[in-house]
PDB file of all heavy atoms in Angstrom:
ATOM      1  N   LEU A 588      79.225  58.291  58.474  1.00  0.00           N
ATOM      2  CA  LEU A 588      79.632  57.101  57.734  1.00  0.00           C
ATOM      3  C   LEU A 588      78.438  56.221  57.390  1.00  0.00           C
ATOM      4  O   LEU A 588      78.439  55.502  56.388  1.00  0.00           O
ATOM      5  CB  LEU A 588      80.653  56.296  58.557  1.00  0.00           C
ATOM      6  CG  LEU A 588      81.378  55.134  57.884  1.00  0.00           C
ATOM      7  CD1 LEU A 588      82.153  55.618  56.675  1.00  0.00           C
ATOM      8  CD2 LEU A 588      82.311  54.451  58.872  1.00  0.00           C
ATOM      9  N   HIS A 589      77.391  56.305  58.215  1.00  0.00           N
ATOM     10  CA  HIS A 589      76.176  55.530  57.963  1.00  0.00           C
ATOM     11  C   HIS A 589      75.234  56.234  56.989  1.00  0.00           C
ATOM     12  O   HIS A 589      74.172  55.694  56.677  1.00  0.00           O
ATOM     13  CB  HIS A 589      75.445  55.256  59.273  1.00  0.00           C
ATOM     14  CG  HIS A 589      76.177  54.308  60.171  1.00  0.00           C
ATOM     15  ND1 HIS A 589      75.655  53.830  61.347  1.00  0.00           N
ATOM     16  CD2 HIS A 589      77.408  53.730  60.054  1.00  0.00           C
ATOM     17  CE1 HIS A 589      76.517  53.011  61.922  1.00  0.00           C
ATOM     18  NE2 HIS A 589      77.589  52.939  61.156  1.00  0.00           N
ATOM     19  N   ASN A 590      75.613  57.413  56.532  1.00  0.00           N
ATOM     20  CA  ASN A 590      74.813  58.186  55.580  1.00  0.00           C
ATOM     21  C   ASN A 590      75.506  58.155  54.222  1.00  0.00           C
ATOM     22  O   ASN A 590      76.557  58.778  54.034  1.00  0.00           O
ATOM     23  CB  ASN A 590      74.653  59.631  56.070  1.00  0.00           C
ATOM     24  CG  ASN A 590      73.686  60.437  55.221  1.00  0.00           C
ATOM     25  OD1 ASN A 590      73.616  60.279  54.008  1.00  0.00           O
ATOM     26  ND2 ASN A 590      72.934  61.316  55.867  1.00  0.00           N
ATOM     27  N   GLU A 591      74.938  57.401  53.273  1.00  0.00           N
ATOM     28  CA  GLU A 591      75.567  57.215  51.963  1.00  0.00           C
ATOM     29  C   GLU A 591      75.775  58.535  51.231  1.00  0.00           C
ATOM     30  O   GLU A 591      76.697  58.672  50.425  1.00  0.00           O
ATOM     31  CB  GLU A 591      74.719  56.270  51.106  1.00  0.00           C
ATOM     32  CG  GLU A 591      74.779  54.820  51.525  1.00  0.00           C
ATOM     33  CD  GLU A 591      76.127  54.194  51.192  1.00  0.00           C
ATOM     34  OE1 GLU A 591      76.690  54.528  50.132  1.00  0.00           O
ATOM     35  OE2 GLU A 591      76.623  53.404  52.004  1.00  0.00           O
ATOM     36  N   THR A 592      74.912  59.513  51.477  1.00  0.00           N
ATOM     37  CA  THR A 592      75.036  60.801  50.802  1.00  0.00           C
ATOM     38  C   THR A 592      76.269  61.551  51.278  1.00  0.00           C
ATOM     39  O   THR A 592      76.974  62.197  50.489  1.00  0.00           O
ATOM     40  CB  THR A 592      73.779  61.660  51.040  1.00  0.00           C
ATOM     41  OG1 THR A 592      72.636  60.941  50.599  1.00  0.00           O
ATOM     42  CG2 THR A 592      73.872  62.980  50.285  1.00  0.00           C
ATOM     43  N   LEU A 593      76.558  61.459  52.571  1.00  0.00           N
ATOM     44  CA  LEU A 593      77.699  62.180  53.136  1.00  0.00           C
ATOM     45  C   LEU A 593      79.012  61.433  52.904  1.00  0.00           C
ATOM     46  O   LEU A 593      80.007  62.034  52.498  1.00  0.00           O
ATOM     47  CB  LEU A 593      77.473  62.401  54.635  1.00  0.00           C
ATOM     48  CG  LEU A 593      76.267  63.268  55.008  1.00  0.00           C
ATOM     49  CD1 LEU A 593      76.116  63.328  56.517  1.00  0.00           C
ATOM     50  CD2 LEU A 593      76.415  64.668  54.418  1.00  0.00           C
ATOM     51  N   ILE A 594      79.026  60.151  53.187  1.00  0.00           N
ATOM     52  CA  ILE A 594      80.241  59.344  53.009  1.00  0.00           C
ATOM     53  C   ILE A 594      79.840  58.028  52.341  1.00  0.00           C
ATOM     54  O   ILE A 594      79.283  57.140  53.008  1.00  0.00           O
ATOM     55  CB  ILE A 594      80.950  59.059  54.345  1.00  0.00           C
ATOM     56  CG1 ILE A 594      81.316  60.354  55.067  1.00  0.00           C
ATOM     57  CG2 ILE A 594      82.207  58.214  54.114  1.00  0.00           C
ATOM     58  CD1 ILE A 594      81.985  60.130  56.420  1.00  0.00           C
ATOM     59  N   PRO A 595      80.086  57.858  51.066  1.00  0.00           N
ATOM     60  CA  PRO A 595      79.754  56.582  50.403  1.00  0.00           C
ATOM     61  C   PRO A 595      80.511  55.426  51.057  1.00  0.00           C
ATOM     62  O   PRO A 595      81.682  55.558  51.433  1.00  0.00           O
ATOM     63  CB  PRO A 595      80.221  56.803  48.964  1.00  0.00           C
ATOM     64  CG  PRO A 595      80.260  58.286  48.795  1.00  0.00           C
ATOM     65  CD  PRO A 595      80.644  58.843  50.131  1.00  0.00           C
ATOM     66  N   SER A 596      79.847  54.302  51.203  1.00  0.00           N
ATOM     67  CA  SER A 596      80.477  53.131  51.812  1.00  0.00           C
ATOM     68  C   SER A 596      79.826  51.878  51.245  1.00  0.00           C
ATOM     69  O   SER A 596      78.847  51.947  50.505  1.00  0.00           O
ATOM     70  CB  SER A 596      80.345  53.164  53.338  1.00  0.00           C
ATOM     71  OG  SER A 596      78.983  53.099  53.724  1.00  0.00           O
ATOM     72  N   LEU A 597      80.367  50.726  51.617  1.00  0.00           N
ATOM     73  CA  LEU A 597      79.866  49.448  51.132  1.00  0.00           C
ATOM     74  C   LEU A 597      79.901  48.434  52.259  1.00  0.00           C
ATOM     75  O   LEU A 597      80.894  48.336  52.993  1.00  0.00           O
ATOM     76  CB  LEU A 597      80.716  48.936  49.962  1.00  0.00           C
ATOM     77  CG  LEU A 597      80.290  47.609  49.321  1.00  0.00           C
ATOM     78  CD1 LEU A 597      78.939  47.738  48.648  1.00  0.00           C
ATOM     79  CD2 LEU A 597      81.350  47.136  48.319  1.00  0.00           C
ATOM     80  N   ILE A 598      78.802  47.700  52.429  1.00  0.00           N
ATOM     81  CA  ILE A 598      78.736  46.637  53.425  1.00  0.00           C
ATOM     82  C   ILE A 598      79.177  45.321  52.786  1.00  0.00           C
ATOM     83  O   ILE A 598      78.691  44.937  51.725  1.00  0.00           O
ATOM     84  CB  ILE A 598      77.305  46.490  53.979  1.00  0.00           C
ATOM     85  CG1 ILE A 598      76.919  47.717  54.812  1.00  0.00           C
ATOM     86  CG2 ILE A 598      77.181  45.223  54.812  1.00  0.00           C
ATOM     87  CD1 ILE A 598      77.615  47.808  56.143  1.00  0.00           C
ATOM     88  N   LEU A 599      80.094  44.616  53.424  1.00  0.00           N
ATOM     89  CA  LEU A 599      80.543  43.298  52.991  1.00  0.00           C
ATOM     90  C   LEU A 599      80.055  42.256  53.989  1.00  0.00           C
ATOM     91  O   LEU A 599      80.207  42.429  55.201  1.00  0.00           O
ATOM     92  CB  LEU A 599      82.072  43.241  52.897  1.00  0.00           C
ATOM     93  CG  LEU A 599      82.740  44.238  51.945  1.00  0.00           C
ATOM     94  CD1 LEU A 599      84.260  44.111  52.040  1.00  0.00           C
ATOM     95  CD2 LEU A 599      82.280  44.020  50.514  1.00  0.00           C
ATOM     96  N   GLY A 600      79.482  41.174  53.491  1.00  0.00           N
ATOM     97  CA  GLY A 600      78.978  40.122  54.364  1.00  0.00           C
ATOM     98  C   GLY A 600      80.103  39.294  54.949  1.00  0.00           C
ATOM     99  O   GLY A 600      81.030  38.893  54.238  1.00  0.00           O
ATOM    100  N   GLY A 601      80.016  39.006  56.249  1.00  0.00           N
ATOM    101  CA  GLY A 601      81.065  38.234  56.903  1.00  0.00           C
ATOM    102  C   GLY A 601      80.599  36.924  57.499  1.00  0.00           C
ATOM    103  O   GLY A 601      81.395  36.181  58.066  1.00  0.00           O
TER     104      GLY A 601
END
Side-chain angles (χ1 to χ4, degrees):
L588 190 59
H589 291 186
N590 187 324
E591 287 288 323
T592 303
L593 297 176
I594 302 178
S596 63
L597 181 65
I598 292 288
L599 301 176

